[in-house]
Structures are given as structure tokens and as C-alpha cells.
């Protein structure tokens, strides 16, 4: 699996982000969806990664710099065709290593609280993330789970 910084212009990544947003809106009330669209993902404080095997897009993930010591995981998504094949684990390990390289002391995330998000929560826990209170501009929301990891 090859992970690279992505400029979000390829048809495959555009389709995966569209799928991601659609899925978020299917599984969460609109006011509780914190997934970013393509334009928002191109903000300067966000580094977007895609993961490939030869010419096949397997998934994606991003880091948003909240400040010089704190990053946020955004847009973690595995292509449906490649679920349960280690894609998310590889991407998450890459994001953690990149965050350490940048000197972040903490890496946080927001995910959903419904049953469809249980595999993601389990993965984050396996990598040492623990539940926390809302961070950055988030507020308490019964449809959100906030997690963080000290690096």
C-alpha cells in the first residue's frame, strides 16, 4: 500500500469523498455531520492523504492542524471494496507518524456514536485513542464521540 499527499482532483478521490459525505448524512443528523467537503479539505491547515495499491484507490485520511501542538484526524474512509483489509490501520498509523514528525503533542478526532461507527471507534481504541470532551470548536452532541491520543 502506497500513501501519498493528494490534491483532491482525481476522479477516484472525488467519488470517495462524495461517498463519504453521503454515508455521513445517512448515518447522522445533518447538524451532527462534521465531515468536510472537497473545498473545505483543500484548506491550508489540512493535509490530505490517499492510499493506493497500484492504480486502485483504497482509502483516504487527513490531518487538520488545530495549533502547533494539536492535530485532528479528518476524512478517514476506506473504499467499500477494501473494507477489513488493513487500509484504515495503515492510514491511521501514517497519520500518527506524520503528527509525531510535525511535533504535535496530541491528536484528536470526532466520530459518530451510532452502531455504524463502532468499527471506527474500535480501531481508534486499538491505536491508543481514549474518549475525551469536545475540543476545538466542537460542542457536546449525543451523536458524536470525541477521542484523543497523547503523542
Amino acid at each position: 500500500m502506497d500513501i501519498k499527499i493528494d490534491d483532491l482532483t482525481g476522479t477516484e478521490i472525488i467519488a470517495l469523498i462524495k461517498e463519504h459525505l453521503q454515508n455521513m448524512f445517512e448515518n447522522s443528523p445533518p447538524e451532527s455531520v462534521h465531515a468536510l467537503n472537497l473545498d473545505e479539505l483543500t484548506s491550508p491547515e489540512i493535509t490530505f492523504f490517499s492510499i493506493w495499491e497500484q492504480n486502485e484507490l483504497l482509502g483516504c485520511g487527513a490531518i487538520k492542524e488545530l495549533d502547533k501542538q494539536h492535530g485532528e484526524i479528518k476524512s478517514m474512509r476506506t473504499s467499500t471494496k477494501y473494507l477489513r483489509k488493513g487500509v484504515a490501520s495503515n492510514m491511521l498509523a501514517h497519520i500518527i507518524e506524520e503528527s509525531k514528525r510535525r511535533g504535535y503533542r496530541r491528536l484528536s478526532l470526532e466520530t459518530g456514536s451510532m452502531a455504524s461507527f463502532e468499527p471506527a471507534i474500535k480501531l481508534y481504541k486499538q491505536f491508543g485513542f481514549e474518549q475525551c470532551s469536545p475540543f476545538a470548536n466542537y460542542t457536546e452532541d449525543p451523536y458524536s464521540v470525541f477521542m484523543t491520543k497523547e503523542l
Side-chain angles (χ1 to χ4, degrees), residues 15-32:
L16 186 59
I17 294 301
K18 183 178 178 181
E19 175 188 315
H20 178 61
L21 288 169
Q22 181 179 342
N23 183 259
M24 294 300 102
F25 281 98
E26 288 171 355
N27 287 289
S28 301
E31 66 276 7
S32 297

Side-chain angles (χ1 to χ4, degrees), residues 88-105:
S89 293
N90 277 292
M91 180 59 73
L92 185 54
H94 179 78
I95 287 172
I96 291 168
E97 286 309 308
E98 176 63 17
S99 297
K100 288 178 181 177
R101 189 192 66 72
R102 293 179 180 194
Y104 295 163
R105 295 182 146 201

Side-chain angles (χ1 to χ4, degrees), residues 74-131:
K74 299 297 291 182
S75 301
M76 282 279 294
R77 184 71 178 191
T78 300
S79 176
T80 306
K81 185 176 173 181
Y82 296 100
L83 289 172
R84 319 267 184 276
K85 297 187 191 276
V87 174
S89 293
N90 277 292
M91 180 59 73
L92 185 54
H94 179 78
I95 287 172
I96 291 168
E97 286 309 308
E98 176 63 17
S99 297
K100 288 178 181 177
R101 189 192 66 72
R102 293 179 180 194
Y104 295 163
R105 295 182 146 201
R106 185 163 67 125
L107 188 58
S108 301
L109 63 97
E110 180 277 338
T111 192
S113 63
M114 292 71 72
S116 59
F117 293 94
E118 286 177 12
I121 293 169
K122 181 180 176 186
L123 174 70
Y124 295 129
K125 285 182 178 179
Q126 288 172 346
F127 275 79
F129 286 83
E130 298 177 344
Q131 282 194 260

Side-chain angles (χ1 to χ4, degrees), residues 56-73:
E56 290 279 327
L57 175 63
L58 309 181
C60 62
I63 303 171
K64 178 179 182 181
E65 185 171 289
L66 299 175
D67 63 45
K68 294 295 181 194
Q69 296 185 342
H70 190 188
E72 178 184 2
I73 296 173

Side-chain angles (χ1 to χ4, degrees), residues 138-150:
Y138 293 105
T139 58
E140 287 292 342
D141 182 339
Y143 298 101
S144 289
V145 172
F146 303 99
M147 302 182 84
T148 195
K149 175 183 175 70
E150 298 293 326

Side-chain angles (χ1 to χ4, degrees), residues 37-57:
N37 64 35
L38 280 169
D39 288 336
E40 293 167 320
L41 286 168
T42 61
S43 297
E45 68 273 8
I46 295 176
T47 305
F48 189 88
F49 303 99
S50 56
I51 185 167
W52 299 79
E53 195 159 76
Q54 294 159 2
N55 293 330
E56 290 279 327
L57 175 63

